[in-house]
């Protein structure tokens, strides 16, 4: 295929009638092509974004009058754009989003009026954020899923016409003051045409009907997902969710509710706990008649599984499943241990990298273990820039940016385009999107670990924001994850399980200190927990923390054990405030007074570290 034949508008996006196999071939050829010439594809993408939104208020503000964008030479476009339009954060866009939400129909960020607003999960930042959603957002979601599915099918082929057990959840949508519909991006996607197209094109069908996905009560939806997943147990080709947390919470629910599920299968009935009318009706219709033989077989398997703590739950209950597919990187890494427990030998395939703001990269090496997964950037999705981040142990020298950057250990270099990133370098991702975000700092830190043709393969490092900091100490989510991993090794040896965790930098009393909250399962001796606490305190490698602990300007780390079900309460709190389970991420650090009061009320034991006492 000549590169000139395939531009940013890929052929495969428009070939509804072509046979699937040919389409998959086209798609992969298209990807090979665009990743082979990322420089020109990115300039084309930038041109398309600017031309389609030329004259909007935000661009006028920076470009001023007199520039005819269609006449700017390709070679000059990027430098003109980046020299005139500043880097910006969500806060810089917030009042534009608010005007749109309030009903201002003027061309503010995009020429086409925005009809939908997405809510990013907000669980990392503590509050939800509006982001525009357009047809382009749903279309790139479809492209991402299809592209990833094409690469996956090379390693793990699946049977056509099979079923997928998808733990997916639409959240409540609501109207803004200006009458726009707002909801999570995943909710918009599940109710879009593209979601149906994906099933038709990949010839893999989700077990649950729309009424279950968008039922609005995650406990009821989870029950029905499980029930239907078991009804179709022989046909399930793979199990998936957006983020791995959701799969773990669903299997935990199965551990508790399997007897009810078995009874419903056997009787062809539905538990009275399912009260959402359309969900009840559609599940009962699919269930049809009683299945006593199936129920008996599943009951026997569940009894056996319960006797071995549900090890290998997935291959036992879904014998034809080929893999589990979900985001398992970043803050989801914690759930890998539990996923492996449930999945036995079945491969775990870590899903793609994106955000409410834009999709970014696709995992094209499906065989890679989740710890090693990388994401090949798709150069047509957005115009990407990368701010080089250099680690050093003091935080001077923020440069090059007109807007304030987070104060952390990174010194920033000048942003570079996609075609100029280097292997081994860490960067913050910057997006210019078709949905009206211009040079928007995403706040994610990634490392370039290689290339696919000319496009970088990114490893997700962490959110850039510092989560634990009292004075000169600086710790990110990843630092905390490493510390908790170390601390929980001892717990695991004592046959305890760390269900979930979060933290808080307590500065209420002098000296301030870190509090780490753990929900655990299993009978674990207090001495073991004391050791875990000390181990975590010792494991913070940040120089600022170590120095502060030695001089006692930061007090001993405190481990608080919370009662069983506490993190469920935290989930419920977010869901009640409009978050979608599909995008939920347990906040790894919190200052939210409601969360802190839940955690503190549920605390059943406390330990103070004895580390550094001899220094
Ligand atoms: P949301 O609030 O749902 O838009 O979350 C988007 C954020 O989730 C991204 O900015 C990342 O921080 C994180 N994220 C998304 N995909 C991945 C991934 N594959 N690995 C790690 N983190 C991810």
């Amino acid at each position: 295929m000549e590169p000139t034949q395939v531009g940013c508008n890929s052929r495969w996006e428009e070939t509804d009638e072509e046979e699937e196999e040919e389409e998959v071939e086209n798609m992969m050829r298209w990807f090979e092509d665009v990743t082979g010439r990322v420089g020109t594809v990115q300039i084309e993408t930038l041109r398309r974004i600017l031309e389609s939104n030329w004259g909007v208020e935000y661009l006028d503000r920076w470009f001023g009058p007199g520039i005819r964008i269609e006449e700017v030479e390709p070679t000059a476009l990027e430098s003109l754009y980046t020299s005139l339009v500043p880097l910006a954060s969500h806060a810089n866009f917030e009042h534009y989003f608010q005007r749109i939400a309030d009903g201002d129909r003027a061309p503010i960020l995009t020429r086409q009026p925005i009809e939908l607003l997405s809510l990013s999960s907000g669980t990392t930042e503590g509050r939800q954020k509006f982001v525009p959603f357009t047809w382009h957002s749903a279309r790139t979601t479809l492209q991402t899923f299809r592209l990833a599915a094409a690469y996956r099918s090379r390693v793990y082929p699946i049977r056509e016409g099979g079923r997928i057990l998808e733990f997916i959840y639409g959240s409540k949508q609501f109207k803004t003051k200006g009458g726009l519909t707002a909801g999570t991006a995943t909710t918009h996607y599940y109710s879009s045409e593209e979601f149906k197209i994906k099933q038709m094109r990949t010839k893999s069908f989700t077990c649950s009907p729309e009424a279950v996905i968008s039922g609005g009560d995650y406990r009821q939806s989870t029950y029905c997902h499980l029930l239907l997943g078991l009804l179709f147990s022989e046909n399930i080709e793979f199990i998936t969710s957006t983020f791995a947390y959701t799969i773990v919470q669903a299997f935990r629910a199965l551990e508790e509710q399997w007897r009810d599920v078995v009874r419903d299968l056997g009787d062809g009935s539905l538990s009275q706990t399912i009260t959402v009318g359309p969900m009840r009706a559609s599940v009962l219709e699919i269930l049809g008649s009683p299945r006593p033989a199936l129920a008996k077989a599943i009951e026997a398997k569940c009894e056996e599984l319960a006797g071995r703590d549900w090890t290998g739950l997935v291959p036992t209950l879904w014998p034809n499943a080929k893999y589990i597919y979900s985001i398992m990187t970043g803050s989801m890494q914690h759930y890998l241990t539990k996923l492996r427990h449930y999945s036995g030998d079945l491969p775990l395939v870590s899903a793609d990298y994106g955000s409410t703001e834009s999709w970014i990269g696709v995992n094209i090496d499906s065989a890679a273990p989740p710890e090693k997964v990388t994401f090949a950037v798709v150069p047509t999705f957005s115009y990407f820039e990368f701010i080089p981040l250099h680690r050093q142990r003091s935080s001077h020298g923020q440069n090059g940016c007109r807007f304030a950057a987070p104060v952390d250990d990174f010194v920033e270099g000048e942003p570079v385009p996609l075609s100029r990133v280097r292997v081994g370098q860490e960067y913050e991702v910057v997006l210019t999107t078709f949905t009206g975000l211009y040079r928007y700092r995403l706040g994610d830190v990634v490392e370039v670990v290689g290339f696919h043709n000319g496009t970088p393969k990114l490893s997700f490092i962490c959110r850039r924001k510092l989560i634990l900091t009292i004075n000169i100490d600086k710790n990110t989510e990843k630092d905390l994850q490493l510390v908790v991993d170390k601390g929980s090794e001892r717990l695991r040896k004592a046959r305890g399980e760390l269900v979930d965790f979060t933290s808080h930098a307590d500065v209420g009393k002098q000296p301030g200190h870190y509090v780490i909250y753990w929900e655990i399962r299993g009978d674990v001796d207090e001495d073991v927990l004391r050791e875990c606490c000390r181990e975590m305190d010792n494991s913070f490698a940040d120089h600022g923390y170590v120095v502060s602990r030695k001089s006692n300007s930061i007090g001993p780390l405190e481990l608080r054990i919370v009662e069983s079900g506490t993190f469920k309460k935290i989930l419920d709190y977010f869901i009640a405030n409009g978050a979608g389970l599909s995008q939920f991420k347990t906040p790894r650090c919190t200052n939210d007074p409601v969360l802190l009061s839940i955690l503190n009320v549920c605390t059943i034991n406390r330990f103070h570290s004895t580390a550094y006492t001899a220094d």
Side-chain angles (χ1 to χ4, degrees), residues 120-122 124 243 327-331 350-357 375 442 444 460 463 583 585:
S120 75
S121 59
T124 40
F243 288 100
I327 293 175
M328 299 168 192
T329 33
S331 61
S350 193
D352 312 291
Y353 174 34
S355 63
T356 304
E357 289 85 346
F375 309 101
L442 186 60
D444 284 350
F460 182 88
R463 295 283 302 161
Q583 277 172 254
K585 305 167 202 75

Side-chain angles (χ1 to χ4, degrees), residues 347-392:
L348 299 181
V349 184
S350 193
D352 312 291
Y353 174 34
S355 63
T356 304
E357 289 85 346
S358 170
W359 278 100
I360 297 162
V362 175
N363 174 9
I364 57 172
D365 304 311
S366 309
E371 289 85 351
K372 297 241 169 81
V373 73
T374 62
F375 309 101
V377 179
V378 183
T380 57
F381 282 175
S382 285
Y383 176 71
F384 298 100
E385 291 171 80
F386 294 85
I387 303 173
L389 300 174
H390 304 284
R391 283 176 196 260
Q392 66 161 34

Side-chain angles (χ1 to χ4, degrees), residues 494-539:
R495 306 189 77 77
E497 177 193 336
L498 179 58
V499 174
D500 223 329
F501 69 95
T502 190
S503 66
H504 171 62
D506 184 353
V507 288
K509 281 202 204 112
Q510 286 303 320
H513 72 294
Y514 293 178
V515 182
I516 297 184
Y517 295 90
W518 275 11
E519 180 175 328
I520 58 175
R521 273 212 322 200
D523 273 337
V524 181
D525 215 68
E526 288 201 354
D527 284 344
V528 171
L529 294 170
R530 217 164 271 125
E531 267 180 60
C532 297
C533 177
R534 184 188 158 89
E535 182 64 34
M536 287 198 284
D537 204 5
N538 266 328
S539 302

Side-chain angles (χ1 to χ4, degrees), residues 514-577:
Y514 293 178
V515 182
I516 297 184
Y517 295 90
W518 275 11
E519 180 175 328
I520 58 175
R521 273 212 322 200
D523 273 337
V524 181
D525 215 68
E526 288 201 354
D527 284 344
V528 171
L529 294 170
R530 217 164 271 125
E531 267 180 60
C532 297
C533 177
R534 184 188 158 89
E535 182 64 34
M536 287 198 284
D537 204 5
N538 266 328
S539 302
F540 278 101
D542 167 54
H543 186 63
Y545 185 76
V546 174
V547 169
S548 304
R549 282 290 292 116
K550 285 185 174 166
S551 63
N552 204 32
S553 54
I554 292 184
L557 182 139
E558 184 181 348
L559 171 62
R560 292 191 192 169
I561 306 297
V562 294
E563 68 192 18
S564 171
T566 303
F567 281 83
K568 257 285 173 25
K569 289 186 185 155
I570 290 177
L571 169 68
D572 288 340
Y573 166 69
F574 277 103
I575 301 279
N577 284 292

